[in-house]
Amino acid sequence: MKESWSAFNTFEHHFRPLVVIELAKNTKEETKEWLTQRIVDKKKNGGAQLLVKPLVKEDRGKIDGNQNVYLVGASHIRLLLGAETVGLVKECNDNSMRTFTYSSRNTFKDFADDNHDFLTMAERQYIIKHELENLRAKDERMIPGYPQAKLYPGKSIMRRLMTSGILLQIFPLHDTEELKKLQYTWYGQVKISYQPLDQIRCYFGETIALYFGFLEYFTFALVPMALIGIPYYVFAWEDYDKYVMFASFNLLWSTVILEVWKRCCAIMTYRWGTLLMKRQFEEPRPGFHGVLGINPVTGKEEPVYSSIKRQIRIYLVSLPFVCLCLYFSLYVMMIYFELETWALDFHEENESYFSKLMLFLPSIIYAIVIEMMNRIYRYAAEFLTSWENHRLESSHQNHLILKVLVFNFLNCFASLFYIAFVLFDMKLLRQSLATLLITSQILNQFVEALLPYWLQKRHNKKVKKRVYSIKVDTDLSLFEQVNLEKEMGTYLGTFDDYLELFLQFGYVSLFSCVYPLAAVFAVLNNITEMYSDALKICRVFKRPFSQPTANIGVWQLAFETMSIISVVTNCALIGLSPQVNALFPDSKTDLTLIVVLVEHILLALKFVMAFVIPDKPQDIQIKLARLEFESLEALKQQL
């Protein structure tokens, strides 16, 4: 029988701070007292049963807003009980993976009552975040001191504080010593080696580790394409018939790497325990609003919003806006082609080294404009998706990803499709593809990593000067650390990183038979991307909360869709080549039919390969089946 929480003493006078809560400067005292009391209250009284203390003592005066900063932690026992609550999966002494329970804690590998490293840092902070988010209103009808901040039974207190502007941020603290070790093994030394994915997972969690795992895997998967592409580039530049073999290899390659990634992903997430974690019931997202009503599934009070109103917003506002943006993108594309015509005329008139360089100028300008448009559209898409008022975070993310992917795909690739299938200019296609790919890679490295790192370094110097000028009765190193980290930018997740890889995959696969060197530049970029992204997440942004995940989610589908589109484009490009056209001088219909037939054969082969290659290795399938069998047997015994 599961023991009651009240049976455990989870209080400790001295605890290790794991999470920081920052309230607004003008937060009322009664609000702070009420919140801290709810955090430390026992579970049976509706509290989180955690530990909390202010960063600085109240009697030391107002210190630049730091009197509203609180440090949250938990005792070892409380974290273990929380691990059971969130359903963490850990390795047992018999090497199997099972959901952790406090009553059977001694059956788990490396467990000891005095081993405080049994749970990783990321897991501990995730547990505290989960408990804070699940602080629910009981009989309160408002936040004390703020009558306008309404509450109702079951409402998440932290979400109401956030939407009311009382709670500014919650973020996990870095472990400075562990971070230094991770930085050294990860990017502190220049060497060709695998990334320390297990260490990344222990420190940042599964979502971050999976992204870097996918980045590493994708980079290694590109190496064969790069090695094969170099001789094709050097020796068979104009022989399009020879590119048939290269394109066919590319298409099969794109299918195999995505299917094999599923297996690699299953191996990693089984070892990390997230493959077995049960999906929790999804709560309404923080930004969701509506009239207070009853959820028909849970029977609890929560905001209710008409799905008809949401559909009206999607189809009568969001969809037309996206179409308008797509039209504007095509309009900018036509301006680019006018610039290309001007540059070509200028070169023909002057025939100089300078005029040759001018031929690349339109593509460089267009690449910069594409990046600017992508970023501006991203903000508009986020605003629209929030305005659509989706109840669940998963639905919100899916609609946002769909909007962004459609626009980015058209914005980045429309000009290449136009050159290939309207202008039929393969030389210009090669030039444009190379320029767009290389320019976008340089811009992304600068904007996403180098510039933020430089700005953050400058800001840190100012914060350190301010900290050392203040006399506080607290641990100065901790005080400095919290002040530095709370001023850092918030890491917004892996969305932009996956989007960058998705577009890169498009450049490599869509027009592989025209520009085989695309894979070479992609490999070079990804090697530097590993270092710059590691630097960014360790030094530039706040530490993100861990989020257990079993795969890369909707991005797997996005990459698979891109690989299907690449079959069509490569077959069409080969069909347009002069050498292939020469084989059918009298009948273009026969050529079209053969190209379509080859395309369908390749698509069928892709789907057969996807079906034949299992998503999970056999040993993991057996382990999962055994666990399911044991769960069913245990359920029968209970009945």
Side-chain angles (χ1 to χ4, degrees):
M1 182 181 292
K2 189 175 179 179
E3 296 178 88
S4 170
W5 281 68
S6 58
F8 300 98
N9 180 17
T10 59
F11 179 77
E12 288 180 1
H13 285 286
H14 302 286
F15 65 91
R16 180 182 183 179
L18 295 172
V19 173
V20 175
I21 294 177
E22 183 182 9
L23 303 177
K25 286 185 179 181
N26 57 351
T27 303
K28 296 177 181 178
E29 289 299 321
E30 60 180 306
T31 308
K32 291 191 282 187
E33 291 175 7
W34 171 77
L35 176 60
T36 53
Q37 188 60 45
R38 289 300 303 270
I39 291 174
V40 300
D41 267 350
K42 290 187 175 295
K43 276 280 188 177
K44 64 180 182 179
N45 299 325
Q49 210 163 329
L50 300 173
L51 305 173
V52 63
K53 64 181 179 183
L55 177 62
V56 293
K57 294 182 180 179
E58 293 290 342
D59 57 359
R60 292 291 169 179
K62 309 297 182 185
I63 308 174
D64 194 28
N66 285 284
Q67 71 279 1
N68 288 334
V69 177
Y70 292 86
L71 307 174
V72 183
S75 65
H76 182 52
I77 294 177
R78 175 66 184 84
L79 290 170
L80 293 175
L81 293 170
E84 179 176 349
T85 302
V86 300
L88 289 184
V89 175
K90 307 292 284 184
E91 187 177 6
C92 293
N93 291 322
D94 61 358
N95 296 323
S96 65
M97 302 295 294
R98 299 181 188 277
T99 303
F100 178 81
T101 58
Y102 186 78
S103 59
S104 60
R105 59 192 180 278
N106 291 314
T107 64
F108 288 87
K109 184 175 286 187
D110 298 326
F111 179 84
D113 289 327
D114 58 350
N115 179 16
H116 289 215
D117 294 326
F118 174 71
L119 298 175
T120 68
M121 186 76 165
E123 288 171 340
R124 282 175 266 169
Q125 290 172 332
Y126 170 69
I127 290 167
I128 289 181
K129 173 176 174 279
H130 177 270
E131 296 297 344
L132 289 174
E133 287 182 343
N134 280 276
L135 267 179
R136 305 288 177 179
K138 297 178 69 181
D139 301 324
E140 304 98 329
R141 290 295 173 179
M142 65 176 189
I143 301 290
Y146 295 89
Q148 73 280 9
K150 303 295 183 183
L151 290 174
Y152 52 86
K155 171 65 180 174
S156 171
I157 291 172
M158 289 298 174
R159 293 187 180 190
R160 174 57 73 219
L161 289 169
M162 186 75 78
T163 55
S164 300
I166 302 167
L167 174 62
L168 297 183
Q169 58 179 337
I170 303 178
F171 63 92
L173 268 177
H174 274 296
D175 182 329
T176 52
E177 292 303 316
E178 287 300 317
L179 182 61
K180 285 178 184 177
K181 293 177 186 176
L182 177 61
Q183 286 174 330
Y184 180 75
T185 56
W186 194 0
Y187 67 87
Q189 42 192 336
V190 179
K191 61 178 182 178
I192 299 176
S193 64
Y194 292 108
Q195 296 178 102
L197 295 179
D198 288 334
Q199 287 178 256
I200 297 170
R201 176 254 169 179
C202 289
Y203 194 84
F204 288 109
E206 291 77 18
T207 300
I208 303 295
L210 268 185
Y211 161 69
F212 281 100
F214 182 73
L215 174 60
E216 179 180 275
Y217 172 83
F218 185 52
T219 304
F220 278 109
L222 283 168
V223 171
M225 285 293 297
L227 293 176
I228 295 172
I230 291 173
Y232 265 96
Y233 177 84
V234 175
F235 302 113
W237 187 245
E238 297 296 339
D239 296 332
Y240 285 92
D241 54 329
K242 294 178 182 175
Y243 281 95
V244 173
M245 292 298 295
F246 181 75
S248 301
F249 173 78
N250 180 303
L251 300 175
L252 298 178
W253 163 85
S254 64
T255 302
V256 170
I257 66 163
L258 292 176
E259 291 303 315
V260 173
W261 163 250
K262 291 180 185 177
R263 295 170 63 85
C264 295
C265 183
I267 293 170
M268 283 192 294
T269 53
Y270 179 82
R271 185 172 73 245
W272 296 340
T274 52
L275 188 65
L276 300 170
M277 283 187 72
K278 295 179 180 178
R279 184 181 174 185
Q280 295 184 342
F281 184 77
E282 206 170 350
E283 297 282 344
R285 49 184 291 271
F288 178 66
H289 57 85
V291 180
L292 197 62
I294 302 296
N295 185 316
V297 177
T298 63
K300 296 180 180 178
E301 272 192 313
E302 67 174 47
V304 176
Y305 187 77
S306 170
S307 60
I308 297 176
K309 288 183 180 179
R310 185 180 301 114
Q311 297 300 321
I312 290 173
R313 290 186 174 190
I314 292 173
Y315 292 109
L316 296 186
V317 179
S318 295
L319 183 59
F321 177 81
V322 172
C323 292
L324 182 64
C325 290
L326 295 177
Y327 172 79
F328 180 73
S329 174
L330 294 175
Y331 180 77
V332 172
M333 180 190 75
M334 298 313 296
I335 295 175
Y336 156 66
F337 286 121
E338 290 180 7
L339 288 175
E340 283 285 0
T341 304
W342 171 82
L344 187 60
D345 292 341
F346 180 82
H347 175 64
E348 290 175 352
E349 291 175 6
N350 294 274
E351 288 287 342
S352 63
Y353 180 75
F354 176 73
S355 66
K356 284 184 180 179
L357 292 177
M358 290 294 289
L359 290 175
F360 292 94
L361 185 61
S363 295
I364 294 173
I365 294 173
Y366 185 49
I368 295 172
V369 171
I370 283 175
E371 289 298 319
M372 291 172 61
M373 290 171 61
N374 283 345
R375 293 179 187 280
I376 293 170
Y377 175 82
R378 169 72 183 275
Y379 291 116
E382 287 177 346
F383 173 80
L384 273 179
T385 310
S386 296
W387 180 71
E388 289 166 4
N389 197 28
H390 296 277
R391 178 181 175 273
L392 302 179
E393 184 64 32
S394 58
S395 176
H396 176 89
Q397 286 297 323
N398 289 339
H399 280 79
L400 176 61
I401 289 173
L402 180 61
K403 289 185 185 74
V404 173
L405 284 186
V406 168
F407 180 81
N408 277 255
F409 181 86
L410 187 82
N411 200 29
C412 294
F413 301 121
S415 61
L416 302 178
F417 279 99
Y418 187 84
I419 295 170
F421 302 116
V422 178
L423 301 180
F424 304 110
D425 189 339
M426 297 302 154
K427 185 177 180 181
L428 179 59
L429 179 61
R430 283 196 298 269
Q431 176 189 311
S432 297
L433 195 154
T435 308
L436 289 174
L437 175 62
I438 296 169
T439 306
S440 65
Q441 289 176 344
I442 294 173
L443 284 174
N444 281 324
Q445 293 283 358
F446 177 75
V447 173
E448 292 183 6
L450 297 179
L451 180 61
Y453 176 69
W454 178 71
L455 292 174
Q456 189 61 45
K457 249 191 147 179
R458 287 188 61 189
H459 182 72
N460 285 355
K461 289 180 180 178
K462 294 179 182 178
V463 173
K464 284 183 179 181
K465 286 181 181 179
R466 190 170 74 244
V467 167
Y468 288 125
S469 67
I470 298 172
K471 302 297 182 182
V472 291
D473 184 19
T474 187
D475 183 353
L476 189 59
S477 60
L478 179 61
F479 183 79
E480 178 187 340
Q481 180 188 353
V482 171
N483 274 273
L484 284 173
E485 291 184 26
K486 75 185 182 72
E487 297 295 330
M488 287 179 170
T490 301
Y491 182 69
L492 300 177
T494 55
F495 184 99
D496 289 327
D497 299 312
Y498 278 118
L499 179 61
E500 187 179 341
L501 288 179
F502 171 77
L503 296 175
Q504 183 189 93
F505 183 65
Y507 283 122
V508 171
S509 62
L510 288 176
F511 305 98
S512 59
C513 62
V514 174
Y515 191 61
L517 281 187
V520 177
F521 288 111
V523 169
L524 295 175
N525 173 78
N526 288 357
I527 291 172
T528 59
E529 186 83 12
M530 289 182 198
Y531 286 95
S532 62
D533 282 353
L535 174 72
K536 177 176 67 177
I537 198 169
C538 289
R539 300 286 300 276
V540 177
F541 295 110
K542 292 187 191 75
R543 184 180 188 175
F545 276 107
S546 167
Q547 187 60 47
T549 186
N551 49 57
I552 63 173
V554 72
W555 291 106
Q556 180 79 35
L557 177 61
F559 277 87
E560 289 172 355
T561 304
M562 181 70 84
S563 71
I564 293 172
I565 297 172
S566 70
V567 173
V568 181
T569 57
N570 280 280
C571 288
L573 285 171
I574 292 170
L576 291 172
S577 66
Q579 289 82 358
V580 175
N581 271 266
L583 299 175
F584 302 90
D586 301 323
S587 176
K588 298 298 179 186
T589 304
D590 291 345
L591 173 60
T592 304
L593 290 173
I594 289 177
V595 169
V596 171
L597 177 64
V598 171
E599 173 218 334
H600 279 60
I601 291 173
L602 286 172
L603 283 174
L605 184 59
K606 280 176 68 69
F607 289 122
V608 168
M609 290 175 66
F611 178 77
V612 169
I613 301 174
D615 292 349
K616 300 180 183 69
Q618 188 176 10
D619 60 325
I620 290 181
Q621 291 183 38
I622 293 172
K623 290 175 181 176
L624 294 175
R626 185 183 298 130
L627 283 174
E628 186 178 357
F629 171 75
E630 290 175 0
S631 298
L632 290 173
E633 288 297 307
L635 184 62
K636 287 179 183 177
Q637 291 178 5
Q638 290 179 3
L639 295 175

